[in-house]
Amino acid sequence: MYELRQLRRALDEPKLFVRELNRLYYTRLNSREYNPDGVDVMAADWDNLLLLDACRYDAFAARADLPGRLEKRRSRSSMTSEFFAANFDGREMHDTVYVTATPMLYWNRNRGDVEASFHREINVWRDGGWDEEFNTVRPETAAEHAKRAAEEYPDKRLFVHFLQPHFPAIGQTGREHPELNDLRAWDAINSGRLDLPDSVLRRAFVENLDAILPHVEDLLETLGGKTVVTADHGQMIGERSFPIPFREYGHPPGIYTDELLSVPWHVHTNGQRREIVAEEPEHEPERGDETEPADMGMDNDVVADRLEDLGYKM
């Protein structure tokens, strides 16, 4: 069933109605919560996993010159919340430290949409890592937290969730077009409120990818063991969806096009594999805990604001 607000929005933006018809096609009339043919990321063999949010396989293959071997995989999801439901939900991942630049898991867990636990969860977006200029976590900030976590937890798997190449656009094109970091760009483009050529959007996307790749390369050379570089989903930049062939922008849920499901799977091994040990989760101070640093107290309004900065409607 659809809520009244959803129906009203579809009337205001007819493209959303078309998108919903395509989503129903891909999900087989809502019988699939995610793409069952995609890779189960947490069951895969790795010591370190570097996840680049919204990274298309074709862009990565064209721009990345990294040590190791590149393969193409199919993701289970076309957006991050769907990725969590498909790969995290119902799992106790007590052999893994999750270093994340996005508040998305925090939000989904608080809403009861995902039940998952790690040995330790390091919320870079909350721990003084938020960049107020571009309303995101910059890749160098997430990489520094990853290095510290690797030193602190040498017997755990390390899962690092970067935000780039996901918008906001942090490169030169983002400076020339601040609407790509101040607005919910993809929604604005789909609704016609923002009119920019696809070439500009692609350039901004590639600049975001170029901004993160040096930090990925540094981690490949720094982290020991087997490292996989992948993505939770890809990105549509004007390609046509199916079966109704209209131009799609962004990464809406349940739209299983090649541009959204084809992701990189880049493998590099540096030295010996680590001895991985699962242990009970470490306590993370909650809001109001007297041991909690002052800058860590985040209410849901702040989390929602940061997710909206990243383009999500809360």
Side-chain angles (χ1 to χ4, degrees):
M1 296 295 293
Y2 299 98
E3 297 179 6
L4 182 59
R5 63 177 180 82
Q6 293 173 313
L7 296 175
R8 286 173 175 168
R9 190 177 172 212
L11 289 174
D12 292 337
E13 300 181 29
K15 281 188 174 182
L16 295 179
F17 178 73
V18 178
R19 174 187 285 173
E20 179 62 8
L21 291 178
N22 284 345
R23 189 193 68 80
L24 290 172
Y25 165 80
Y26 284 114
T27 61
R28 298 184 180 178
L29 299 177
N30 290 326
S31 64
R32 292 179 169 183
E33 296 182 358
Y34 57 87
N35 168 39
D37 300 323
V39 59
D40 183 345
V41 167
M42 298 309 299
D45 179 33
W46 47 266
D47 299 315
N48 315 291
L49 188 135
L50 311 181
L51 187 142
L52 314 188
D53 204 305
C55 185
R56 294 167 56 126
Y57 172 82
D58 56 358
F60 185 92
R63 307 296 296 185
D65 183 17
L66 302 172
R69 181 184 74 258
L70 175 61
E71 303 172 6
K72 181 193 291 187
R73 295 287 176 91
R74 299 283 283 181
S75 175
R76 286 185 161 190
S77 60
S78 62
M79 74 169 297
T80 305
S81 292
E82 203 172 66
F83 176 86
F84 292 151
N87 293 279
F88 290 177
D89 192 31
R91 282 177 159 166
E92 293 183 347
M93 298 162 283
H94 296 169
D95 62 349
T96 304
V97 173
Y98 179 55
V99 180
T100 178
T102 175
M104 187 62 82
L105 180 59
Y106 180 99
W107 179 264
N108 278 270
R109 184 189 286 117
N110 281 2
R111 295 200 315 172
D113 294 338
V114 175
E115 182 178 344
S117 61
F118 297 90
H119 175 69
R120 174 75 190 281
E121 192 171 316
I122 299 173
N123 291 302
V124 182
W125 56 271
R126 190 173 69 173
D127 299 344
W130 195 255
D131 186 290
E132 298 293 345
E133 178 183 4
F134 284 106
N135 294 320
T136 190
V137 174
R138 298 184 68 89
E140 57 268 31
T141 305
E144 285 304 315
H145 279 75
K147 289 180 181 179
R148 289 200 292 269
E151 293 177 358
E152 188 173 355
Y153 301 97
D155 60 351
K156 298 292 180 289
R157 298 210 297 178
L158 182 66
F159 189 131
V160 186
H161 191 153
F162 290 94
L163 266 172
Q164 291 73 33
H166 192 290
F167 278 13
I170 63 174
Q172 182 60 36
T173 302
R175 297 181 186 278
E176 295 171 356
H177 298 277
E179 60 268 34
L180 295 180
N181 54 68
D182 288 344
L183 296 177
R184 300 171 195 164
W186 302 117
D187 281 342
I189 292 164
N190 276 311
S191 67
R193 300 191 309 272
L194 178 60
D195 185 17
L196 285 175
D198 289 355
S199 59
V200 172
L201 301 173
R202 290 178 184 277
R203 184 166 69 246
F205 179 84
V206 167
E207 287 172 358
N208 268 22
L209 179 56
D210 287 347
I212 195 174
L213 287 176
H215 304 287
V216 171
E217 182 173 12
D218 180 47
L219 288 175
L220 289 178
E221 296 172 348
T222 302
L223 299 175
K226 182 179 181 179
T227 301
V228 169
V229 185
T230 189
D232 48 353
H233 55 80
Q235 177 71 50
M236 297 283 280
I237 312 178
E239 295 87 5
R240 295 190 183 276
S241 187
F242 188 84
I244 304 175
F246 87 107
R247 294 191 181 278
E248 182 71 85
Y249 295 86
H251 42 270
I255 303 296
Y256 300 148
T257 63
D258 285 342
E259 292 82 7
L260 288 175
L261 292 191
S262 293
V263 295
W265 191 266
H266 188 97
V267 182
H268 175 67
T269 302
N270 182 23
Q272 293 185 341
R273 299 291 301 274
R274 294 206 297 276
E275 184 86 23
I276 303 298
V277 179
E279 296 179 288
E280 286 299 306
E282 291 189 358
H283 169 69
E284 183 174 352
E286 299 292 339
R287 184 171 175 80
D289 191 317
E290 62 183 11
T291 65
E292 177 186 13
D295 68 341
M296 287 181 65
M298 305 290 292
D299 59 29
N300 283 341
D301 288 340
V302 175
V303 176
D305 286 344
R306 292 189 172 176
L307 285 170
E308 289 191 9
D309 287 338
L310 299 173
Y312 296 100
K313 288 184 178 295
M314 295 295 112

